[in-house]
Amino acid sequence: MEHRIEQIKKQLHAQSYKLTPQREATVRVLLEREEDHLSAEDVYLLVKEKSPEIGLATVYRTLELLSELKIVDKINFGDGVSRYDLRKEGAKHFHHHLVCIECGSVEEIVNDLLEDVERIVQNDWGFEVKDHRLTFHGICKQCQQSAVKAN
Amino acid sequence: MEHRIEQIKKQLHAQSYKLTPQREATVRVLLEREEDHLSAEDVYLLVKEKSPEIGLATVYRTLELLSELKIVDKINFGDGVSRYDLRKEGAKHFHHHLVCIECGSVEEIVNDLLEDVERIVQNDWGFEVKDHRLTFHGICKQCQQSAVKAN
DNA sequence: TCTTTTAATTATAATAATTATAAAATAGTA
DNA sequence: TACTATTTTATAATTATTATAATTAAAAGA
Ligand SMILES: [Zn+2]
Ligand SMILES: [Zn+2]
Ligand SMILES: [Zn+2]
Ligand SMILES: [Zn+2]
């Protein structure tokens, strides 16, 4: 944890941004809930528990800044809110998501499954890929099992 | 065009929905601008040109309905608005997108590049894939060429 | 250390996108 | 035709996000 905070501090300083207490509190929440996919509001409420004086706009600005620095990825699962997802330590690409249309759960795939596809896009379409967003919608393992039992 | 309207009419009737004049006008706009990625507001303004009496909420409701019936796919490129994309005739999966981070252009890939990946997700993660969203962010061909010239 | 400059935050207001509500209109059906 | 359910309209409300001006905090210079 402290190690990753330090790392992020360096990334900020490299662009001459400061790691203010508010920013640090925000980053800590993201680290503590790394598996989750929090909205700005979610993050705000969690940060507020420890640092009640923080403002919502600051959380928005911090998340925006972290997005620009590629420390977090902004993603939208189609429910009208942007969610902020910490990039895995050392990962050079954004991970993929499995969204269950039954229970709403979100699972992550950290393996890069798109290497071949990106090569094709590069070669056949002449498009220089810098980043990607891949989300599968379907039925998660648990819901499949529940469906079997119900029959 | 008329052929596809008829087809959509049937799809609506199959679920006992009506193809009202407002809905038809909305579908026509989507058909006329099939290559584009229109927001609800965009669609509203275009429909209004021909049917000035239509309301914005009706457009929203129609697009929502068409989404449920999988006639259009709702997508978000991260700019805060939902965009509505007519599914290609006969396509059983949603096509992919190339979004240029320089000029903002959006190119479409109708080939299914995810067959292998979906098989892996199915087998290794036990997730039953029903739909997907795949967007690449990068530099389009035109912007690459402009960059070369500029040097 | 004191002062100046710049960056960041707060509190608040504004904007933009989307959804909800009630009344009126429309369409299908007995 | 009369009845019933669906859909639309006009409008208001809600929700997410961004902008503004005043204040605070941090860094840089004297
Ligand atoms: Zn994730
Ligand atoms: Zn599930
Ligand atoms: Zn471009
Ligand atoms: Zn498209």
Side-chain angles (χ1 to χ4, degrees), chain A residues 97-102 135-140 143-144 147, chain B residues 70 73 87 91-95 112 114 118-119 121-122 126-133:
Chain A
H97 293 98
L98 308 178
V99 178
C100 181
I101 55 181
E102 293 289 332
T135 303
F136 291 105
H137 302 244
I139 319 282
C140 76
C143 288
Q144 285 174 49
Chain B
K70 299 275 185 192
D73 286 297
R87 217 169 248 233
K92 60 179 196 311
H93 73 92
F94 191 23
H95 56 261
D112 190 355
L114 288 179
E118 290 189 353
R119 220 180 341 265
V121 169
Q122 183 81 50
F127 186 86
E128 189 183 337
V129 176
K130 296 281 191 184
D131 198 3
H132 57 232
R133 291 280 181 285

PDB file of all heavy atoms in Angstrom, chain A residues 97-102 135-140 143-144 147, chain B residues 70 73 87 91-95 112 114 118-119 121-122 126-133:
ATOM      1  N   HIS A  97     -13.527  -6.663 -18.498  1.00  0.00           N
ATOM      2  CA  HIS A  97     -14.592  -6.857 -17.516  1.00  0.00           C
ATOM      3  C   HIS A  97     -15.667  -7.809 -17.996  1.00  0.00           C
ATOM      4  O   HIS A  97     -16.009  -7.822 -19.184  1.00  0.00           O
ATOM      5  CB  HIS A  97     -15.214  -5.514 -17.154  1.00  0.00           C
ATOM      6  CG  HIS A  97     -14.267  -4.618 -16.421  1.00  0.00           C
ATOM      7  ND1 HIS A  97     -13.557  -3.623 -17.044  1.00  0.00           N
ATOM      8  CD2 HIS A  97     -13.867  -4.606 -15.122  1.00  0.00           C
ATOM      9  CE1 HIS A  97     -12.780  -3.030 -16.162  1.00  0.00           C
ATOM     10  NE2 HIS A  97     -12.935  -3.601 -14.995  1.00  0.00           N
ATOM     11  N   LEU A  98     -16.177  -8.572 -17.038  1.00  0.00           N
ATOM     12  CA  LEU A  98     -17.312  -9.460 -17.279  1.00  0.00           C
ATOM     13  C   LEU A  98     -18.474  -8.954 -16.428  1.00  0.00           C
ATOM     14  O   LEU A  98     -18.422  -9.049 -15.200  1.00  0.00           O
ATOM     15  CB  LEU A  98     -16.961 -10.894 -16.865  1.00  0.00           C
ATOM     16  CG  LEU A  98     -15.671 -11.479 -17.439  1.00  0.00           C
ATOM     17  CD1 LEU A  98     -15.441 -12.894 -16.888  1.00  0.00           C
ATOM     18  CD2 LEU A  98     -15.729 -11.508 -18.959  1.00  0.00           C
ATOM     19  N   VAL A  99     -19.480  -8.422 -17.072  1.00  0.00           N
ATOM     20  CA  VAL A  99     -20.618  -7.875 -16.344  1.00  0.00           C
ATOM     21  C   VAL A  99     -21.785  -8.846 -16.458  1.00  0.00           C
ATOM     22  O   VAL A  99     -22.215  -9.183 -17.561  1.00  0.00           O
ATOM     23  CB  VAL A  99     -21.034  -6.505 -16.918  1.00  0.00           C
ATOM     24  CG1 VAL A  99     -22.250  -5.965 -16.183  1.00  0.00           C
ATOM     25  CG2 VAL A  99     -19.883  -5.516 -16.829  1.00  0.00           C
ATOM     26  N   CYS A 100     -22.295  -9.294 -15.317  1.00  0.00           N
ATOM     27  CA  CYS A 100     -23.417 -10.236 -15.335  1.00  0.00           C
ATOM     28  C   CYS A 100     -24.731  -9.485 -15.501  1.00  0.00           C
ATOM     29  O   CYS A 100     -25.025  -8.569 -14.736  1.00  0.00           O
ATOM     30  CB  CYS A 100     -23.444 -11.060 -14.055  1.00  0.00           C
ATOM     31  SG  CYS A 100     -24.803 -12.259 -14.056  1.00  0.00           S
ATOM     32  N   ILE A 101     -25.502  -9.903 -16.497  1.00  0.00           N
ATOM     33  CA  ILE A 101     -26.770  -9.215 -16.753  1.00  0.00           C
ATOM     34  C   ILE A 101     -27.862  -9.693 -15.806  1.00  0.00           C
ATOM     35  O   ILE A 101     -28.939  -9.111 -15.747  1.00  0.00           O
ATOM     36  CB  ILE A 101     -27.227  -9.392 -18.225  1.00  0.00           C
ATOM     37  CG1 ILE A 101     -27.308 -10.872 -18.607  1.00  0.00           C
ATOM     38  CG2 ILE A 101     -26.290  -8.673 -19.163  1.00  0.00           C
ATOM     39  CD1 ILE A 101     -27.725 -11.119 -20.043  1.00  0.00           C
ATOM     40  N   GLU A 102     -27.579 -10.754 -15.031  1.00  0.00           N
ATOM     41  CA  GLU A 102     -28.546 -11.245 -14.040  1.00  0.00           C
ATOM     42  C   GLU A 102     -28.361 -10.530 -12.703  1.00  0.00           C
ATOM     43  O   GLU A 102     -29.275  -9.923 -12.171  1.00  0.00           O
ATOM     44  CB  GLU A 102     -28.376 -12.752 -13.819  1.00  0.00           C
ATOM     45  CG  GLU A 102     -28.740 -13.618 -15.019  1.00  0.00           C
ATOM     46  CD  GLU A 102     -30.237 -13.658 -15.281  1.00  0.00           C
ATOM     47  OE1 GLU A 102     -31.010 -13.502 -14.321  1.00  0.00           O
ATOM     48  OE2 GLU A 102     -30.625 -13.823 -16.457  1.00  0.00           O
ATOM     49  N   THR A 135     -15.559  -5.100 -22.665  1.00  0.00           N
ATOM     50  CA  THR A 135     -16.490  -5.574 -21.648  1.00  0.00           C
ATOM     51  C   THR A 135     -17.387  -6.635 -22.258  1.00  0.00           C
ATOM     52  O   THR A 135     -17.936  -6.443 -23.342  1.00  0.00           O
ATOM     53  CB  THR A 135     -17.360  -4.408 -21.134  1.00  0.00           C
ATOM     54  OG1 THR A 135     -16.516  -3.389 -20.633  1.00  0.00           O
ATOM     55  CG2 THR A 135     -18.286  -4.878 -20.026  1.00  0.00           C
ATOM     56  N   PHE A 136     -17.516  -7.752 -21.535  1.00  0.00           N
ATOM     57  CA  PHE A 136     -18.465  -8.780 -21.959  1.00  0.00           C
ATOM     58  C   PHE A 136     -19.695  -8.710 -21.069  1.00  0.00           C
ATOM     59  O   PHE A 136     -19.578  -8.559 -19.855  1.00  0.00           O
ATOM     60  CB  PHE A 136     -17.832 -10.173 -21.866  1.00  0.00           C
ATOM     61  CG  PHE A 136     -16.739 -10.382 -22.875  1.00  0.00           C
ATOM     62  CD1 PHE A 136     -15.420 -10.373 -22.493  1.00  0.00           C
ATOM     63  CD2 PHE A 136     -17.051 -10.563 -24.206  1.00  0.00           C
ATOM     64  CE1 PHE A 136     -14.400 -10.548 -23.436  1.00  0.00           C
ATOM     65  CE2 PHE A 136     -16.049 -10.740 -25.159  1.00  0.00           C
ATOM     66  CZ  PHE A 136     -14.719 -10.732 -24.772  1.00  0.00           C
ATOM     67  N   HIS A 137     -20.834  -8.833 -21.699  1.00  0.00           N
ATOM     68  CA  HIS A 137     -22.085  -8.896 -20.947  1.00  0.00           C
ATOM     69  C   HIS A 137     -22.577 -10.330 -21.071  1.00  0.00           C
ATOM     70  O   HIS A 137     -22.563 -10.894 -22.169  1.00  0.00           O
ATOM     71  CB  HIS A 137     -23.116  -7.941 -21.546  1.00  0.00           C
ATOM     72  CG  HIS A 137     -22.671  -6.510 -21.585  1.00  0.00           C
ATOM     73  ND1 HIS A 137     -23.303  -5.525 -20.883  1.00  0.00           N
ATOM     74  CD2 HIS A 137     -21.641  -5.909 -22.232  1.00  0.00           C
ATOM     75  CE1 HIS A 137     -22.685  -4.366 -21.092  1.00  0.00           C
ATOM     76  NE2 HIS A 137     -21.687  -4.573 -21.919  1.00  0.00           N
ATOM     77  N   GLY A 138     -22.992 -10.908 -19.974  1.00  0.00           N
ATOM     78  CA  GLY A 138     -23.462 -12.296 -20.039  1.00  0.00           C
ATOM     79  C   GLY A 138     -23.862 -12.812 -18.678  1.00  0.00           C
ATOM     80  O   GLY A 138     -24.247 -12.042 -17.805  1.00  0.00           O
ATOM     81  N   ILE A 139     -23.789 -14.143 -18.520  1.00  0.00           N
ATOM     82  CA  ILE A 139     -24.229 -14.762 -17.277  1.00  0.00           C
ATOM     83  C   ILE A 139     -23.017 -15.297 -16.527  1.00  0.00           C
ATOM     84  O   ILE A 139     -22.272 -16.117 -17.065  1.00  0.00           O
ATOM     85  CB  ILE A 139     -25.184 -15.941 -17.545  1.00  0.00           C
ATOM     86  CG1 ILE A 139     -26.171 -15.613 -18.679  1.00  0.00           C
ATOM     87  CG2 ILE A 139     -25.904 -16.358 -16.272  1.00  0.00           C
ATOM     88  CD1 ILE A 139     -27.312 -14.749 -18.302  1.00  0.00           C
ATOM     89  N   CYS A 140     -22.864 -14.860 -15.294  1.00  0.00           N
ATOM     90  CA  CYS A 140     -21.711 -15.293 -14.510  1.00  0.00           C
ATOM     91  C   CYS A 140     -21.902 -16.734 -14.036  1.00  0.00           C
ATOM     92  O   CYS A 140     -22.997 -17.287 -14.081  1.00  0.00           O
ATOM     93  CB  CYS A 140     -21.487 -14.367 -13.319  1.00  0.00           C
ATOM     94  SG  CYS A 140     -22.624 -14.600 -11.951  1.00  0.00           S
ATOM     95  N   CYS A 143     -24.675 -17.364 -11.400  1.00  0.00           N
ATOM     96  CA  CYS A 143     -26.046 -17.295 -11.916  1.00  0.00           C
ATOM     97  C   CYS A 143     -26.354 -18.490 -12.806  1.00  0.00           C
ATOM     98  O   CYS A 143     -27.496 -18.947 -12.856  1.00  0.00           O
ATOM     99  CB  CYS A 143     -26.259 -15.986 -12.670  1.00  0.00           C
ATOM    100  SG  CYS A 143     -26.343 -14.570 -11.559  1.00  0.00           S
ATOM    101  N   GLN A 144     -25.348 -19.003 -13.502  1.00  0.00           N
ATOM    102  CA  GLN A 144     -25.572 -20.204 -14.317  1.00  0.00           C
ATOM    103  C   GLN A 144     -25.950 -21.374 -13.417  1.00  0.00           C
ATOM    104  O   GLN A 144     -26.869 -22.122 -13.715  1.00  0.00           O
ATOM    105  CB  GLN A 144     -24.306 -20.563 -15.101  1.00  0.00           C
ATOM    106  CG  GLN A 144     -24.048 -19.662 -16.289  1.00  0.00           C
ATOM    107  CD  GLN A 144     -22.712 -19.976 -16.937  1.00  0.00           C
ATOM    108  OE1 GLN A 144     -22.388 -21.132 -17.219  1.00  0.00           O
ATOM    109  NE2 GLN A 144     -21.915 -18.950 -17.172  1.00  0.00           N
ATOM    110  N   ALA A 147     -29.417 -21.069 -12.018  1.00  0.00           N
ATOM    111  CA  ALA A 147     -30.413 -21.380 -13.047  1.00  0.00           C
ATOM    112  C   ALA A 147     -30.589 -22.882 -13.190  1.00  0.00           C
ATOM    113  O   ALA A 147     -31.711 -23.382 -13.354  1.00  0.00           O
ATOM    114  CB  ALA A 147     -29.979 -20.781 -14.386  1.00  0.00           C
TER     115      ALA A 147
ATOM    116  N   LYS B  70     -32.803  -4.939 -28.871  1.00  0.00           N
ATOM    117  CA  LYS B  70     -31.522  -5.191 -29.558  1.00  0.00           C
ATOM    118  C   LYS B  70     -31.525  -4.714 -31.000  1.00  0.00           C
ATOM    119  O   LYS B  70     -30.795  -5.233 -31.840  1.00  0.00           O
ATOM    120  CB  LYS B  70     -31.165  -6.685 -29.526  1.00  0.00           C
ATOM    121  CG  LYS B  70     -30.985  -7.247 -28.139  1.00  0.00           C
ATOM    122  CD  LYS B  70     -29.593  -7.009 -27.654  1.00  0.00           C
ATOM    123  CE  LYS B  70     -29.348  -7.664 -26.303  1.00  0.00           C
ATOM    124  NZ  LYS B  70     -28.095  -7.188 -25.718  1.00  0.00           N
ATOM    125  N   ASP B  73     -27.836  -0.537 -30.362  1.00  0.00           N
ATOM    126  CA  ASP B  73     -26.952  -0.742 -29.226  1.00  0.00           C
ATOM    127  C   ASP B  73     -26.589   0.611 -28.659  1.00  0.00           C
ATOM    128  O   ASP B  73     -26.308   1.562 -29.391  1.00  0.00           O
ATOM    129  CB  ASP B  73     -25.691  -1.487 -29.661  1.00  0.00           C
ATOM    130  CG  ASP B  73     -25.961  -2.947 -29.936  1.00  0.00           C
ATOM    131  OD1 ASP B  73     -26.344  -3.655 -29.001  1.00  0.00           O
ATOM    132  OD2 ASP B  73     -25.815  -3.372 -31.099  1.00  0.00           O
ATOM    133  N   ARG B  87     -27.913  -1.688 -35.081  1.00  0.00           N
ATOM    134  CA  ARG B  87     -27.193  -2.926 -35.339  1.00  0.00           C
ATOM    135  C   ARG B  87     -27.215  -3.199 -36.852  1.00  0.00           C
ATOM    136  O   ARG B  87     -28.234  -2.983 -37.496  1.00  0.00           O
ATOM    137  CB  ARG B  87     -27.880  -4.079 -34.590  1.00  0.00           C
ATOM    138  CG  ARG B  87     -26.901  -5.087 -34.042  1.00  0.00           C
ATOM    139  CD  ARG B  87     -27.589  -6.039 -33.099  1.00  0.00           C
ATOM    140  NE  ARG B  87     -27.105  -5.813 -31.737  1.00  0.00           N
ATOM    141  CZ  ARG B  87     -26.617  -6.790 -30.982  1.00  0.00           C
ATOM    142  NH1 ARG B  87     -26.583  -8.027 -31.424  1.00  0.00           N
ATOM    143  NH2 ARG B  87     -26.195  -6.531 -29.767  1.00  0.00           N
ATOM    144  N   ALA B  91     -26.699  -8.749 -38.336  1.00  0.00           N
ATOM    145  CA  ALA B  91     -25.578  -8.975 -37.419  1.00  0.00           C
ATOM    146  C   ALA B  91     -26.087  -9.525 -36.099  1.00  0.00           C
ATOM    147  O   ALA B  91     -27.080  -9.057 -35.558  1.00  0.00           O
ATOM    148  CB  ALA B  91     -24.825  -7.675 -37.183  1.00  0.00           C
ATOM    149  N   LYS B  92     -25.390 -10.533 -35.599  1.00  0.00           N
ATOM    150  CA  LYS B  92     -25.828 -11.110 -34.328  1.00  0.00           C
ATOM    151  C   LYS B  92     -25.006 -10.575 -33.159  1.00  0.00           C
ATOM    152  O   LYS B  92     -25.257 -10.873 -32.010  1.00  0.00           O
ATOM    153  CB  LYS B  92     -25.785 -12.640 -34.379  1.00  0.00           C
ATOM    154  CG  LYS B  92     -24.422 -13.208 -34.644  1.00  0.00           C
ATOM    155  CD  LYS B  92     -24.445 -14.740 -34.656  1.00  0.00           C
ATOM    156  CE  LYS B  92     -23.036 -15.284 -34.520  1.00  0.00           C
ATOM    157  NZ  LYS B  92     -22.068 -14.673 -35.448  1.00  0.00           N
ATOM    158  N   HIS B  93     -23.976  -9.807 -33.487  1.00  0.00           N
ATOM    159  CA  HIS B  93     -23.169  -9.223 -32.406  1.00  0.00           C
ATOM    160  C   HIS B  93     -22.924  -7.752 -32.706  1.00  0.00           C
ATOM    161  O   HIS B  93     -23.052  -7.307 -33.855  1.00  0.00           O
ATOM    162  CB  HIS B  93     -21.838  -9.961 -32.293  1.00  0.00           C
ATOM    163  CG  HIS B  93     -20.917  -9.638 -33.423  1.00  0.00           C
ATOM    164  ND1 HIS B  93     -19.993  -8.619 -33.350  1.00  0.00           N
ATOM    165  CD2 HIS B  93     -20.814 -10.145 -34.673  1.00  0.00           C
ATOM    166  CE1 HIS B  93     -19.355  -8.539 -34.499  1.00  0.00           C
ATOM    167  NE2 HIS B  93     -19.829  -9.440 -35.328  1.00  0.00           N
ATOM    168  N   PHE B  94     -22.586  -7.045 -31.686  1.00  0.00           N
ATOM    169  CA  PHE B  94     -22.333  -5.608 -31.822  1.00  0.00           C
ATOM    170  C   PHE B  94     -20.957  -5.403 -32.461  1.00  0.00           C
ATOM    171  O   PHE B  94     -20.004  -6.080 -32.110  1.00  0.00           O
ATOM    172  CB  PHE B  94     -22.383  -4.964 -30.439  1.00  0.00           C
ATOM    173  CG  PHE B  94     -22.396  -3.457 -30.457  1.00  0.00           C
ATOM    174  CD1 PHE B  94     -22.833  -2.744 -31.564  1.00  0.00           C
ATOM    175  CD2 PHE B  94     -21.992  -2.756 -29.339  1.00  0.00           C
ATOM    176  CE1 PHE B  94     -22.850  -1.364 -31.574  1.00  0.00           C
ATOM    177  CE2 PHE B  94     -22.015  -1.359 -29.339  1.00  0.00           C
ATOM    178  CZ  PHE B  94     -22.437  -0.668 -30.451  1.00  0.00           C
ATOM    179  N   HIS B  95     -20.892  -4.489 -33.394  1.00  0.00           N
ATOM    180  CA  HIS B  95     -19.614  -4.230 -34.056  1.00  0.00           C
ATOM    181  C   HIS B  95     -18.652  -3.442 -33.144  1.00  0.00           C
ATOM    182  O   HIS B  95     -19.045  -2.967 -32.091  1.00  0.00           O
ATOM    183  CB  HIS B  95     -19.845  -3.499 -35.382  1.00  0.00           C
ATOM    184  CG  HIS B  95     -20.603  -2.219 -35.252  1.00  0.00           C
ATOM    185  ND1 HIS B  95     -21.940  -2.115 -35.504  1.00  0.00           N
ATOM    186  CD2 HIS B  95     -20.201  -0.983 -34.877  1.00  0.00           C
ATOM    187  CE1 HIS B  95     -22.324  -0.874 -35.297  1.00  0.00           C
ATOM    188  NE2 HIS B  95     -21.294  -0.164 -34.909  1.00  0.00           N
ATOM    189  N   ASP B 112     -16.214  -9.865 -36.892  1.00  0.00           N
ATOM    190  CA  ASP B 112     -16.166 -10.299 -35.500  1.00  0.00           C
ATOM    191  C   ASP B 112     -14.751 -10.741 -35.156  1.00  0.00           C
ATOM    192  O   ASP B 112     -14.304 -11.803 -35.572  1.00  0.00           O
ATOM    193  CB  ASP B 112     -17.154 -11.440 -35.240  1.00  0.00           C
ATOM    194  CG  ASP B 112     -17.261 -11.719 -33.744  1.00  0.00           C
ATOM    195  OD1 ASP B 112     -16.502 -11.102 -32.970  1.00  0.00           O
ATOM    196  OD2 ASP B 112     -18.098 -12.533 -33.347  1.00  0.00           O
ATOM    197  N   LEU B 114     -13.705 -11.184 -32.106  1.00  0.00           N
ATOM    198  CA  LEU B 114     -13.658 -11.676 -30.727  1.00  0.00           C
ATOM    199  C   LEU B 114     -14.018 -13.145 -30.569  1.00  0.00           C
ATOM    200  O   LEU B 114     -14.126 -13.628 -29.437  1.00  0.00           O
ATOM    201  CB  LEU B 114     -14.590 -10.831 -29.850  1.00  0.00           C
ATOM    202  CG  LEU B 114     -14.126  -9.410 -29.547  1.00  0.00           C
ATOM    203  CD1 LEU B 114     -15.149  -8.676 -28.694  1.00  0.00           C
ATOM    204  CD2 LEU B 114     -12.781  -9.425 -28.820  1.00  0.00           C
ATOM    205  N   GLU B 118     -13.822 -14.880 -26.986  1.00  0.00           N
ATOM    206  CA  GLU B 118     -15.043 -15.274 -26.294  1.00  0.00           C
ATOM    207  C   GLU B 118     -15.014 -16.750 -25.918  1.00  0.00           C
ATOM    208  O   GLU B 118     -15.530 -17.149 -24.884  1.00  0.00           O
ATOM    209  CB  GLU B 118     -16.273 -14.946 -27.151  1.00  0.00           C
ATOM    210  CG  GLU B 118     -16.473 -13.442 -27.235  1.00  0.00           C
ATOM    211  CD  GLU B 118     -17.781 -13.015 -27.887  1.00  0.00           C
ATOM    212  OE1 GLU B 118     -18.515 -13.878 -28.414  1.00  0.00           O
ATOM    213  OE2 GLU B 118     -18.061 -11.798 -27.864  1.00  0.00           O
ATOM    214  N   ARG B 119     -14.376 -17.537 -26.766  1.00  0.00           N
ATOM    215  CA  ARG B 119     -14.236 -18.950 -26.452  1.00  0.00           C
ATOM    216  C   ARG B 119     -13.380 -19.121 -25.191  1.00  0.00           C
ATOM    217  O   ARG B 119     -13.696 -19.907 -24.299  1.00  0.00           O
ATOM    218  CB  ARG B 119     -13.614 -19.706 -27.637  1.00  0.00           C
ATOM    219  CG  ARG B 119     -14.234 -21.069 -27.870  1.00  0.00           C
ATOM    220  CD  ARG B 119     -13.645 -21.843 -29.045  1.00  0.00           C
ATOM    221  NE  ARG B 119     -12.919 -21.058 -30.031  1.00  0.00           N
ATOM    222  CZ  ARG B 119     -13.451 -20.577 -31.165  1.00  0.00           C
ATOM    223  NH1 ARG B 119     -14.722 -20.807 -31.450  1.00  0.00           N
ATOM    224  NH2 ARG B 119     -12.708 -19.894 -32.004  1.00  0.00           N
ATOM    225  N   VAL B 121     -12.929 -16.895 -22.806  1.00  0.00           N
ATOM    226  CA  VAL B 121     -13.664 -16.387 -21.648  1.00  0.00           C
ATOM    227  C   VAL B 121     -14.670 -17.435 -21.173  1.00  0.00           C
ATOM    228  O   VAL B 121     -14.834 -17.686 -19.977  1.00  0.00           O
ATOM    229  CB  VAL B 121     -14.386 -15.070 -22.000  1.00  0.00           C
ATOM    230  CG1 VAL B 121     -15.364 -14.668 -20.916  1.00  0.00           C
ATOM    231  CG2 VAL B 121     -13.357 -13.956 -22.222  1.00  0.00           C
ATOM    232  N   GLN B 122     -15.327 -18.046 -22.156  1.00  0.00           N
ATOM    233  CA  GLN B 122     -16.310 -19.093 -21.849  1.00  0.00           C
ATOM    234  C   GLN B 122     -15.631 -20.276 -21.131  1.00  0.00           C
ATOM    235  O   GLN B 122     -16.081 -20.701 -20.063  1.00  0.00           O
ATOM    236  CB  GLN B 122     -16.917 -19.574 -23.173  1.00  0.00           C
ATOM    237  CG  GLN B 122     -18.011 -20.616 -23.028  1.00  0.00           C
ATOM    238  CD  GLN B 122     -19.337 -19.975 -22.675  1.00  0.00           C
ATOM    239  OE1 GLN B 122     -19.760 -19.027 -23.316  1.00  0.00           O
ATOM    240  NE2 GLN B 122     -19.979 -20.470 -21.641  1.00  0.00           N
ATOM    241  N   GLY B 126     -15.653 -19.548 -17.288  1.00  0.00           N
ATOM    242  CA  GLY B 126     -17.003 -20.071 -17.067  1.00  0.00           C
ATOM    243  C   GLY B 126     -18.084 -19.015 -17.207  1.00  0.00           C
ATOM    244  O   GLY B 126     -19.147 -19.106 -16.604  1.00  0.00           O
ATOM    245  N   PHE B 127     -17.813 -18.001 -17.993  1.00  0.00           N
ATOM    246  CA  PHE B 127     -18.752 -16.892 -18.166  1.00  0.00           C
ATOM    247  C   PHE B 127     -19.458 -17.050 -19.509  1.00  0.00           C
ATOM    248  O   PHE B 127     -18.804 -17.206 -20.545  1.00  0.00           O
ATOM    249  CB  PHE B 127     -17.987 -15.570 -18.117  1.00  0.00           C
ATOM    250  CG  PHE B 127     -18.855 -14.345 -18.136  1.00  0.00           C
ATOM    251  CD1 PHE B 127     -19.376 -13.826 -16.954  1.00  0.00           C
ATOM    252  CD2 PHE B 127     -19.141 -13.695 -19.328  1.00  0.00           C
ATOM    253  CE1 PHE B 127     -20.166 -12.686 -16.960  1.00  0.00           C
ATOM    254  CE2 PHE B 127     -19.932 -12.554 -19.348  1.00  0.00           C
ATOM    255  CZ  PHE B 127     -20.439 -12.054 -18.156  1.00  0.00           C
ATOM    256  N   GLU B 128     -20.778 -17.043 -19.477  1.00  0.00           N
ATOM    257  CA  GLU B 128     -21.547 -17.236 -20.710  1.00  0.00           C
ATOM    258  C   GLU B 128     -21.744 -15.891 -21.405  1.00  0.00           C
ATOM    259  O   GLU B 128     -22.588 -15.099 -20.996  1.00  0.00           O
ATOM    260  CB  GLU B 128     -22.897 -17.877 -20.366  1.00  0.00           C
ATOM    261  CG  GLU B 128     -23.677 -18.311 -21.578  1.00  0.00           C
ATOM    262  CD  GLU B 128     -25.042 -18.864 -21.172  1.00  0.00           C
ATOM    263  OE1 GLU B 128     -25.189 -19.309 -19.999  1.00  0.00           O
ATOM    264  OE2 GLU B 128     -25.957 -18.812 -22.007  1.00  0.00           O
ATOM    265  N   VAL B 129     -20.990 -15.674 -22.460  1.00  0.00           N
ATOM    266  CA  VAL B 129     -21.012 -14.368 -23.134  1.00  0.00           C
ATOM    267  C   VAL B 129     -22.270 -14.204 -23.971  1.00  0.00           C
ATOM    268  O   VAL B 129     -22.607 -15.065 -24.780  1.00  0.00           O
ATOM    269  CB  VAL B 129     -19.770 -14.191 -24.036  1.00  0.00           C
ATOM    270  CG1 VAL B 129     -19.844 -12.874 -24.795  1.00  0.00           C
ATOM    271  CG2 VAL B 129     -18.492 -14.268 -23.220  1.00  0.00           C
ATOM    272  N   LYS B 130     -22.970 -13.104 -23.741  1.00  0.00           N
ATOM    273  CA  LYS B 130     -24.173 -12.797 -24.511  1.00  0.00           C
ATOM    274  C   LYS B 130     -23.952 -11.596 -25.431  1.00  0.00           C
ATOM    275  O   LYS B 130     -24.619 -11.463 -26.448  1.00  0.00           O
ATOM    276  CB  LYS B 130     -25.328 -12.452 -23.553  1.00  0.00           C
ATOM    277  CG  LYS B 130     -25.770 -13.592 -22.661  1.00  0.00           C
ATOM    278  CD  LYS B 130     -26.648 -14.563 -23.409  1.00  0.00           C
ATOM    279  CE  LYS B 130     -27.311 -15.548 -22.454  1.00  0.00           C
ATOM    280  NZ  LYS B 130     -28.097 -16.571 -23.189  1.00  0.00           N
ATOM    281  N   ASP B 131     -23.070 -10.731 -25.042  1.00  0.00           N
ATOM    282  CA  ASP B 131     -22.860  -9.499 -25.803  1.00  0.00           C
ATOM    283  C   ASP B 131     -21.489  -8.935 -25.431  1.00  0.00           C
ATOM    284  O   ASP B 131     -20.890  -9.374 -24.449  1.00  0.00           O
ATOM    285  CB  ASP B 131     -23.955  -8.493 -25.435  1.00  0.00           C
ATOM    286  CG  ASP B 131     -24.088  -7.382 -26.464  1.00  0.00           C
ATOM    287  OD1 ASP B 131     -23.385  -7.418 -27.489  1.00  0.00           O
ATOM    288  OD2 ASP B 131     -24.892  -6.463 -26.230  1.00  0.00           O
ATOM    289  N   HIS B 132     -21.025  -7.981 -26.220  1.00  0.00           N
ATOM    290  CA  HIS B 132     -19.727  -7.384 -25.895  1.00  0.00           C
ATOM    291  C   HIS B 132     -19.675  -5.924 -26.330  1.00  0.00           C
ATOM    292  O   HIS B 132     -20.499  -5.457 -27.112  1.00  0.00           O
ATOM    293  CB  HIS B 132     -18.601  -8.174 -26.566  1.00  0.00           C
ATOM    294  CG  HIS B 132     -18.753  -8.276 -28.056  1.00  0.00           C
ATOM    295  ND1 HIS B 132     -18.702  -9.454 -28.747  1.00  0.00           N
ATOM    296  CD2 HIS B 132     -18.995  -7.319 -28.986  1.00  0.00           C
ATOM    297  CE1 HIS B 132     -18.888  -9.219 -30.039  1.00  0.00           C
ATOM    298  NE2 HIS B 132     -19.060  -7.935 -30.201  1.00  0.00           N
ATOM    299  N   ARG B 133     -18.709  -5.233 -25.785  1.00  0.00           N
ATOM    300  CA  ARG B 133     -18.402  -3.862 -26.158  1.00  0.00           C
ATOM    301  C   ARG B 133     -16.893  -3.807 -26.297  1.00  0.00           C
ATOM    302  O   ARG B 133     -16.180  -4.090 -25.332  1.00  0.00           O
ATOM    303  CB  ARG B 133     -18.820  -2.878 -25.060  1.00  0.00           C
ATOM    304  CG  ARG B 133     -20.319  -2.733 -24.860  1.00  0.00           C
ATOM    305  CD  ARG B 133     -20.928  -1.831 -25.893  1.00  0.00           C
ATOM    306  NE  ARG B 133     -22.368  -1.664 -25.713  1.00  0.00           N
ATOM    307  CZ  ARG B 133     -23.276  -2.593 -26.026  1.00  0.00           C
ATOM    308  NH1 ARG B 133     -22.910  -3.756 -26.498  1.00  0.00           N
ATOM    309  NH2 ARG B 133     -24.552  -2.335 -25.850  1.00  0.00           N
TER     310      ARG B 133
END
